[in-house]
């Protein structure tokens, strides 16, 4: 089996500090990447920043900074945020990095030499914030169809990519590969909203945008954002570079995870560009929904800068990185929109982290301390109920892995949480607290604890990709330093004889009213 996996987030616009909405994509991708690593795959997890364009130029000017001064600040904040949230990216690409600039140029030149790009005149409308050109028919009430803001007139020389040529190729792609774009309904959107309306050639350079990669053979022009941005998925691997080992190893990408508003770029334009370059297409594009706040998309232009308690930096420092991850992974169905509110966030903390994830650990260690002075001992007195328990756990483990391989991280996470419920049920059925009253049951009590701790370790191993901070801490206590999900074997943890002392609880239940009040105070301070 081919045990390698390449996953990417979109590269973020540093037009402001990133929001919890941006964390959504990155945290989901991180759990998928970690899960595959734990399964023994060689993973390449890419993220980064999309740094060119008129908007960045404008913001830097307003702040009386050079573009790079401004960008460096945001990139530093972004990297700190990823560290805070335990994001395990393998590469952070900046489109201003030298190697990327060279590769994006080479790609542009290559397409030009192959006759895939030609010079013409662009007449139409342009949306500055979205950096998108639109035709009159595409506008909605005269405004940008993506963001609803005013557009400006554009009439200038520009280079065009022959996108229209790829209409049939794209139709065939959607007809023959039903899982290329997930969730499935997104493919219909691409067919109905774009392919059926006819594809027009795409403007891929600008004369008026100075903050961009110059077209090598026509220095008046800069490469317009999407060829520059999309190329990051190739340049990060060393495509067209001397050292292209990663490109050979990891391309085609297993999955590009993107938000629903940028599907068109990834599911129409990107496959056409790759085809024009004679490169294989990514295996899959996954379009997720939006994290919403007060009924709208949570976005950089709206939320950042206000004293909002939805700042992931505040949430993570107050409630741990796993609290933010738990909310993003567990409370929004991957693929759909989902709301953020402090109540949902705090209730999820209590309901999942304190009552389930943390509680099972303290319950087990508490029992060990009470019934066997903190020592794990395999009492080897088995009963029929044990094998049933193990079978249930194994089935849930298989389900958890397969859900993740189907790119359903929310369901995969929820399946692990079911294993915790099974551990609690097993204890409730066996009632070690009653058996313990009779000295003759000592070995059975120890067996029950041994069994349930094996299952608990299985759970934490699976959970590690989702909640790395807390699970790593606990697994270390059991001498498990590197987490490996063994797909073929279960319950093989070498723990017989380990001893525990009383420790701090992982997640303390929150007083929701008190927390809400304090969060509001932070917001109003
Ligand atoms: N720079 C482009 C992507 C180029 S990829 C070759 C871009 N950047 S962005 O910063 O505006 O958005 C990056 C990602 O963040 C998008 O996938 C977007 O959907 C995601 N999100 C931004 N706000 C979001 C929510 N409120 N909820 C979920 N994801 C959101 O587009």
């Amino acid at each position: 089996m081919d045990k390698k996996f390449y996953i990417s987030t979109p590269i973020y616009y540093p037009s402001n500090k990133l929001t919890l909405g941006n964390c959504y994509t990155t945290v989901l991708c991180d759990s998928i990447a970690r899960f595959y690593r734990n399964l023994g795959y060689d993973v390449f997890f890419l993220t980064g920043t999309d740094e060119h364009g008129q908007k960045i130029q404008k913001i830097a000017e307003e702040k009386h900074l050079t573009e790079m001064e401004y960008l460096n600040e945001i990139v530093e904040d972004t990297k700190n945020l990823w560290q805070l949230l335990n994001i395990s990216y393998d590469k952070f690409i900046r489109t201003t990095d030298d190697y990327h600039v060279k590769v994006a140029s080479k790609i542009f030149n290559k397409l030009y030499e192959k006759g895939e790009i030609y010079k013409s005149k662009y007449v139409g409308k342009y949306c500055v914030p979205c950096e998108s050109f639109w035709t009159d028919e595409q506008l909605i009430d005269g405004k940008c169809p993506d963001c609803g803001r005013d557009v400006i007139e554009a009439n200038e020389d520009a280079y065009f990519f022959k996108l229209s040529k790829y209409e049939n190729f794209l139709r065939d792609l959607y007809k023959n590969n039903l899982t290329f774009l997930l969730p499935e309904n997104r493919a219909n959107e691409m067919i109905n909203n774009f392919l059926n309306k006819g594809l027009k050639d795409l403007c891929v350079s600008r004369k008026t945008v100075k903050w961009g990669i110059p077209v090598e053979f026509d220095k008046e022009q800069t490469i317009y954002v999407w060829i520059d941005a999309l190329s990051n998925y190739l340049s990060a691997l060393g495509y067209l570079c001397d050292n292209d080992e990663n490109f050979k190893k990891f391309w085609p990408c297993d999955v590009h995870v993107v938000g629903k508003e940028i599907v068109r770029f990834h599911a129409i334009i990107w496959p056409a560009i790759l085809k024009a370059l004679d490169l294989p297409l990514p295996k899959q594009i996954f379009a997720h929904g939006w994290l919403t706040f007060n009924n709208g998309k949570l976005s950089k232009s709206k939320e950042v800068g206000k004293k909002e308690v939805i700042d992931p930096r505040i949430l993570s420092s107050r409630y741990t990185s796993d609290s933010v991850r738990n909310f993003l992974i567990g409370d929004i169905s991957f693929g759909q929109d989902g709301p953020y509110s402090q109540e949902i966030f705090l209730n999820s903390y209590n309901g999942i982290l304190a009552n389930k994830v943390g509680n099972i650990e303290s319950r087990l260690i508490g029992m060990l301390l009470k019934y066997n002075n903190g020592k794990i001992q395999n009492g080897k007195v088995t009963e029929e109920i044990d094998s049933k328990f193990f079978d249930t756990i194994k089935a849930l483990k298989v389900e958890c892995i397969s859900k993740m391989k189907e790119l359903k991280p929310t369901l995969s996470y929820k399946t692990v949480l079911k294993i915790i419920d099974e551990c609690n049920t097993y204890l409730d059925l066996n009632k070690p607290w009653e058996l313990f009253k009779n000295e003759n049951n000592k070995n059975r009590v120890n067996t029950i604890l041994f069994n349930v701790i094996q299952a608990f370790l299985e759970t934490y191993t699976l959970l590690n990709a989702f909640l790395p901070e807390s699970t790593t801490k606990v697994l270390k206590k059991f001498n498990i330093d590197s987490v490996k999900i063994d797909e073929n074997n279960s319950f093989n943890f070498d723990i017989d004889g380990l001893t525990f002392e009383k420790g701090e609880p992982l997640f303390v239940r929150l007083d929701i009213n008190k927390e809400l009040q304090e969060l509001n105070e932070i917001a109003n301070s």
Side-chain angles (χ1 to χ4, degrees):
M1 194 188 36
D2 196 7
K3 286 201 114 186
K4 59 180 181 54
F5 189 78
Y6 174 20
I7 181 168
S8 66
T9 72
I11 43 173
Y12 298 98
Y13 277 132
S15 54
N16 209 332
K17 286 186 176 181
L18 301 198
T19 67
L20 193 58
N22 305 119
C23 295
Y24 179 71
T25 323
T26 315
V27 163
L28 265 299
C29 287
D30 182 67
S31 358
I32 301 168
R34 282 177 180 272
F35 202 97
Y36 272 91
R37 270 190 218 113
N38 290 349
L39 281 170
Y41 282 66
D42 192 355
V43 172
F44 192 83
F45 171 24
L46 176 68
T47 191
T49 39
D50 182 3
E51 304 191 359
H52 291 120
Q54 197 158 320
K55 196 165 165 184
I56 299 296
Q57 191 181 325
K58 239 169 67 182
I59 299 171
E61 259 166 39
E62 279 161 20
K63 292 186 180 288
H64 306 291
L65 294 171
T66 65
E67 285 86 356
M68 280 319 277
E69 280 166 349
Y70 167 71
L71 289 166
N72 287 344
E73 272 178 26
I74 301 275
V75 168
E76 195 187 334
D77 180 76
T78 305
K79 287 187 173 172
N80 288 340
L81 180 59
W82 295 159
Q83 202 176 2
L84 210 55
L85 292 177
N86 263 310
I87 305 299
S88 62
Y89 58 80
D90 294 292
K91 191 171 180 92
F92 188 105
I93 186 168
R94 299 181 59 172
T95 52
T96 50
D97 285 337
D98 281 350
Y99 71 90
H100 172 81
V101 170
K102 282 191 195 127
V103 173
S105 269
K106 282 188 190 169
I107 288 177
F108 197 94
N109 295 352
K110 202 168 169 179
L111 290 170
Y112 184 67
E113 281 154 20
K114 290 181 91 188
E116 300 284 346
I117 283 179
Y118 61 93
K119 194 168 189 181
S120 181
K121 219 170 209 358
Y122 182 81
V123 183
K125 300 289 189 295
Y126 183 69
C127 173
V128 179
C130 295
E131 306 195 22
S132 290
F133 288 101
W134 302 105
T135 58
D136 284 324
E137 306 87 69
Q138 286 173 315
L139 301 181
I140 299 175
D141 298 331
K143 312 248 179 196
C144 169
D146 270 356
C147 71
R149 282 179 270 211
D150 287 336
V151 288
I152 56 170
E153 295 286 341
N155 181 341
E156 60 183 44
D157 285 344
Y159 287 88
F160 286 78
F161 169 63
K162 289 183 178 166
L163 182 63
S164 58
K165 180 176 148 187
Y166 292 97
E167 207 171 292
N168 285 337
F169 164 73
L170 291 164
R171 267 182 211 287
D172 287 346
L173 170 66
Y174 284 104
K175 200 164 87 196
N176 300 329
N177 187 347
L178 299 180
T179 55
F180 176 69
L181 175 59
L182 289 178
E184 281 90 357
N185 59 334
R186 298 278 175 212
N188 288 335
E189 264 174 44
M190 291 302 114
I191 295 167
N192 295 333
N193 298 355
F194 302 108
L195 295 180
N196 288 351
K197 288 187 180 160
L199 293 180
K200 296 209 165 60
D201 289 350
L202 183 79
C203 183
V204 288
S205 75
R206 283 296 309 262
K207 216 169 146 181
T208 44
V209 179
K210 296 291 164 245
W211 184 244
I213 302 175
V215 171
E216 229 170 66
F217 49 86
D218 190 342
K219 290 273 165 29
E220 274 199 319
Q221 302 266 342
T222 54
I223 299 176
Y224 168 57
V225 67
W226 284 100
I227 285 205
D228 171 6
L230 289 163
S231 304
N232 93 87
Y233 301 129
L234 293 171
S235 66
L237 296 178
Y239 173 65
L240 300 181
C241 291
D242 291 340
N243 181 358
D244 63 356
E245 216 173 280
N246 274 337
F247 173 71
K248 286 190 186 127
K249 183 164 165 191
F250 288 106
W251 192 261
C253 185
D254 288 86
V255 59
H256 293 309
V257 178
V258 300
K260 62 181 180 180
E261 79 279 31
I262 54 172
V263 180
R264 178 170 72 103
F265 301 104
H266 287 83
I268 301 269
I269 297 173
W270 186 222
I273 293 176
L274 289 168
K275 176 75 183 152
L277 289 168
D278 297 315
L279 288 177
L281 305 190
K283 292 181 201 153
Q284 210 155 54
I285 314 284
F286 189 98
H288 64 71
W290 286 339
L291 181 63
T292 60
F293 184 62
N294 293 338
N295 296 323
K297 182 186 175 204
L298 194 159
S299 75
K300 288 187 217 99
S301 50
K302 283 193 283 183
E303 262 70 49
V304 175
K306 292 187 205 159
K307 284 183 179 159
E308 289 289 1
V309 279
I310 52 173
D311 186 338
R313 300 153 191 86
I314 297 177
L315 293 176
S316 176
S317 338
R318 262 183 91 87
Y319 305 109
T320 75
S321 63
D322 283 349
S323 73
V324 178
R325 297 175 66 106
N326 165 63
F327 165 75
L328 294 174
I329 299 163
D331 286 277
I332 302 145
S333 246
F334 199 43
Q336 287 160 25
D337 288 356
Y340 173 84
S341 78
Q342 276 145 35
E343 285 85 350
I344 301 175
F345 178 86
L346 295 170
N347 279 319
S348 184
Y349 182 102
N350 273 355
I352 305 296
L353 297 181
N355 293 357
K356 284 187 196 278
V357 179
N359 178 263
I360 186 71
E361 193 241 5
S362 50
R363 192 174 185 200
L364 291 177
I365 297 203
M367 286 184 182
L368 263 187
L369 286 166
K370 195 160 169 197
Y371 305 143
N372 206 32
N373 297 321
K375 187 169 179 186
I376 299 178
Q377 240 174 338
N378 186 355
K380 298 189 178 154
V381 180
T382 54
E383 288 184 10
E384 209 186 318
I385 193 172
D386 300 348
S387 49
K388 274 196 195 141
F389 171 61
F390 286 139
D391 287 347
T392 311
I393 306 290
K394 269 190 209 159
L396 287 170
K397 177 177 166 179
V398 168
E399 188 183 329
C400 163
I401 297 170
S402 69
K403 289 287 172 247
M404 189 51 111
K405 288 188 176 168
E406 289 163 30
L407 267 187
K408 294 178 174 154
T410 308
L411 292 181
S412 176
Y413 182 55
K414 294 205 163 155
T415 310
V416 197
L417 299 176
K418 282 193 208 157
I419 308 185
I420 299 182
D421 296 339
E422 289 298 329
C423 291
N424 281 318
T425 308
Y426 176 76
L427 288 171
D428 295 345
L429 289 174
N430 282 288
K431 300 190 175 43
W433 46 92
E434 285 187 2
L435 294 175
F436 171 69
K437 290 176 191 157
N438 183 339
E439 179 63 21
N440 293 337
N441 292 330
K442 195 168 176 39
N443 285 338
R444 178 60 192 156
V445 171
N446 279 336
T447 309
I448 295 167
L449 287 183
F450 183 82
N451 289 348
V452 77
I453 290 173
Q454 287 282 350
F456 159 76
L457 291 175
E458 209 72 75
T459 315
Y460 263 45
T461 303
L462 293 167
L463 211 50
N464 176 260
F466 305 104
L467 309 176
E469 186 181 335
S470 48
T471 52
T472 304
K473 229 189 269 172
V474 173
L475 289 169
K476 274 206 174 121
K477 284 201 220 168
F478 288 84
N479 295 339
I480 300 169
D481 284 322
S482 83
V483 181
K484 283 277 159 279
I485 301 171
D486 188 338
E487 285 191 73
N488 303 313
N489 288 299
S490 293
F491 317 112
N492 274 337
F493 300 96
D494 185 14
I495 51 170
D496 206 7
L498 281 189
T499 305
F500 289 87
E501 286 168 18
K502 201 168 169 46
E504 293 294 310
L506 267 187
F507 299 102
V508 182
R509 257 186 87 76
L510 303 170
D511 174 340
I512 305 246
N513 286 333
K514 184 173 152 270
E515 293 303 322
L516 281 174
Q517 202 182 335
E518 285 185 23
L519 286 176
N520 284 334
E521 275 163 21
I522 296 177
N524 297 323
S525 63

